[in-house]
Amino acid sequence: MTRRHARTAGRTTAVTLAAALVLAGTTAAAVPGTAATSPPPLSVTAAVSPNIVANPGFEDGSLAPWEIRNGGSLELSDDAYSGDRAVLVTGRQATQSGPWQDLTGKVEAGTSYTVSAKVRYDTGPATKQFFVTAFTGGSSYTNIATGTLNRGEWGTLQGTWLLPAGPTPAETRIFLETPWTGTPGADPEQHLMDFLVDDVSVTLASPGGGGFDAVGKTPGNSNPLVSHMFGADPYAFSHDGRVYVYTTNDSQEWAPDENNISTPNTYGKINQISVISSADLLNWTDHGPIQVAGSTGAATWANNSWAPAFASKVVDGKEKFFLYFANNAASVGVLEADSPLGPWTDPLGKPLISPETPGAANNGNWLFDPAVVVDESGQGYLYFGGGEGNAPETPNNPRTTRWIKLGDDMVSTVGTAQVVDAPRMFEASHVFEREGKYYYSYSTNFSSVAPSPGYPANGVIAYMMADSPEGPWTPEQFEGTVLDGMYQEFGVGGNNHQSFFELGGTYYMAYHAQTLNLALVGGDASKVRGFRSTHVNEVTFRPDGTMNKVDADYTGVAQIAPLDPYSIIEAETIGYQKGITTALLTSPTSKPALKLTDIDSGDWVALAGVDFGQDGATEFRTTIAPLAGGRVEVRLDSPDTSTSENLVGTIDVPAGDGSWTDLATTIDRTTGVHDVYLTFAGDQEGDLFDVDTWVFAAGAEVEPVDLAVTAKAQCVAGRANLTVRAVNGEDVAVTVALTTPFGTKTFASVAPGKSASQSFNSRAAAVPAG
């Protein structure tokens, strides 16, 4: 996705740099006016995912709707982490006593949430563990966020909360507490201290939660496409020089233990479709999940969303985009939007294909796995169905799939569904057109029953060819196998699902395999639990139009275009990675905006095939949200942090509260094509920072700026304040950013000889010297 960034025109154009400064832990920097060719300042405007907690910072001037749980009382306090108020929990007589709030109706089963809160206690032990706990009725209590805090300091409780699949709880509450003990009165200072709470947050999170430490996509390979999440049943759609791949979001079922062995993928929790896209087939942008089904989805009537299909068509003079999906095996739905990324709406409020659709349901067939094609006249066709069926000729000729014409609006059907008689058909219909021929492909039966002579093998992708999207789709059109089973290719079995697309004049096949799941369990196929990832390989054709068999492998396809480093790059655009994940900044029913998150020391992300040109880049800039703080190290062609030979620049990121800020650094002049590795380091436990965008700048080396900076500490109302002042010694206006461990303040267009100053409240009784 693209988010607008502020541009400052004229001679006073400025960019903000994080540069070394005289005060330890405090930075200020600026750059004098630059030419109009300089990249614009990065000023993120993306909205964050809505916080479903009411009155989260107690700024309403009341406690409502918060209540005390398990005795004690709540009092408003002006001793706040942020804003003007917090809540004081006092008079506790038991543990598990704290503020709680009813979230009934605001959260949904099978959905992941990011949970955080700020807490401080001033008496008692030197350190103390606190929890945010979820109550979901009866005796069901789950600790969903935690932190071990230092006495007298605000600390963060954070975690990911995945509500189990199944019916959404009739009652759901969260509360903040200290660990349970049966006899807290025996040592009340240890267990029953007062504590302050501020800024409680519960927001939608990236499904799956937490980054994968295994390198599931090896640098140099292009398969699987992404390694920070799972994605199955890929449906590829080319549009305006990019390919968009829509997948079943297997990450919603991922529930690993400490050895990355998950409970099996049952598909029952999956009600989202994930979207990634690429212009070069190696760097993929994660566009996040589409919340299709469930009470918060676009199609509230549906329980699940599997196996998407995708098409566009000009309707009433405007191009519209259509996402078809399987509601488990019971029906097929459709959503529509004005772009490939949404936002999505349900035009029908009910299934498009159901047992009531003429000709759709007979012979025991399933109503799932849609495919769609629009012919040159603009007529749309939908294909769907599968299963072994119950006719005497099964499983060789189950006759369980169908095709039907779509109305001009693409969200209605015309006439009666017709049978597709595909040899040994089981699931995964797909249809595409090439040079006047239509190709119908599908996955064969995984039954242990051996196929009859002349029929395709178990668990392969087979295909048929015809002169029309209407076929006739009979066994006479059968052409053979285009992809073998995944066990033969990767040593790990499972079902398959495929689609074909054309990009830049070349045809490709997308399919899935459990390779990332295999990597996460150390290559032991016995520990794989059905979590699938998308791959792409090239497809070639014989002179008669039939397809050569595709050789599935990790190498995949070559990068077809270099990556431009001088245009703003969304941080969720990833060639390779270790340990990170992504999270939504918007509701999953909106047009998506994402961030890179779950960044710990030792993690890294890479952009492949970055072309810096002959003149090269001398600056690297990012929009970042500091948390524990640390460093972003820009390295070329390797993530190896044991050497400085690949290091061209470093950004120091101070600790912060997660507010977005713009930081940059000069880098060694970098020319030509390189893989760029951004390695992350920090001295603190936990997440270092989140990242929204990257960009490189070309041109001359940035000269040091004449900026005189002083800092002065003083005590105000029992708290230490730090006042930082920077005087512009340049002869042009500059933009100045003053950054301390207690916050950042940016001043635009500070005139020559003028100063910028800001007082930062440390909220502590003392700050370290220096």
Side-chain angles (χ1 to χ4, degrees), residues 145 339 387 562 701 764:
S339 88
E701 298 285 351

Side-chain angles (χ1 to χ4, degrees), residues 281-305:
L281 300 183
L282 191 50
N283 298 292
W284 291 87
T285 300
D286 180 3
H287 298 288
I290 302 168
Q291 186 66 52
V292 176
S295 62
T296 62
T300 55
W301 57 267
N303 294 317
N304 298 109
S305 54

Side-chain angles (χ1 to χ4, degrees), residues 385-641:
E388 198 167 74
N390 53 23
E393 60 267 32
T394 59
N396 283 329
N397 293 92
R399 297 168 60 86
T400 52
T401 46
R402 305 285 184 269
W403 68 264
I404 194 169
K405 281 187 176 182
L406 292 169
D408 290 340
D409 57 6
M410 298 289 284
V411 298
S412 60
T413 61
V414 178
T416 300
Q418 304 298 311
V419 170
V420 177
D421 188 0
R424 210 163 174 78
M425 168 71 198
F426 189 65
E427 59 185 344
S429 294
H430 184 266
V431 178
F432 73 100
E433 183 273 336
R434 174 186 177 270
E435 297 182 359
K437 295 289 186 180
Y438 287 84
Y439 296 74
Y440 178 94
S441 60
Y442 57 96
S443 177
T444 63
N445 202 322
F446 282 73
S447 168
S448 60
V449 177
S452 299
Y455 285 83
N458 286 347
V460 302
I461 303 300
Y463 74 104
M464 308 160 76
M465 289 175 62
D467 295 329
S468 164
E470 300 181 15
W473 300 115
T474 62
E476 288 74 24
Q477 275 68 50
F478 177 70
E479 294 292 349
T481 297
V482 66
L483 184 69
D484 286 331
M486 291 299 94
Y487 189 83
Q488 294 95 308
E489 304 289 356
F490 296 110
V492 59
N495 71 348
N496 211 337
H497 198 120
Q498 78 301 330
S499 64
F500 296 81
F501 66 97
E502 181 268 329
L503 189 66
T506 300
Y507 282 82
Y508 301 92
M509 179 183 189
Y511 58 94
H512 71 226
Q514 297 182 76
T515 51
L516 176 57
N517 196 170
L518 186 67
L520 292 171
V521 294
D524 185 347
S526 69
K527 299 176 181 176
V528 168
R529 296 293 185 265
F531 295 89
R532 304 156 296 176
S533 296
T534 295
H535 301 63
V536 167
N537 283 85
E538 186 176 342
V539 181
T540 59
F541 298 82
R542 304 182 187 98
D544 64 356
T546 58
M547 291 187 284
N548 291 305
K549 187 175 287 187
V550 171
D551 291 323
D553 57 21
Y554 286 102
T555 302
V557 300
Q559 187 173 359
I560 63 174
L563 187 68
D564 176 13
Y566 304 117
S567 297
I568 293 173
I569 301 168
E570 299 293 339
E572 60 273 14
T573 298
I574 302 168
Y576 313 106
Q577 67 84 31
K578 174 182 177 294
I580 60 86
T581 189
T582 59
L584 282 163
L585 291 167
T586 55
S587 165
T589 55
S590 304
K591 191 169 182 178
L594 276 77
K595 64 181 178 179
L596 205 65
T597 191
D598 194 45
I599 299 172
D600 301 309
S601 188
D603 293 346
W604 54 263
V605 66
L607 303 168
V610 180
D611 188 358
F612 291 97
Q614 294 182 346
D615 294 334
T618 56
E619 183 185 348
F620 174 75
R621 304 164 58 195
T622 180
T623 298
I624 201 164
L627 298 168
R631 299 179 301 282
V632 179
E633 299 167 342
V634 185
R635 298 177 183 271
L636 301 181
D637 303 316
S638 169
D640 184 3
T641 58

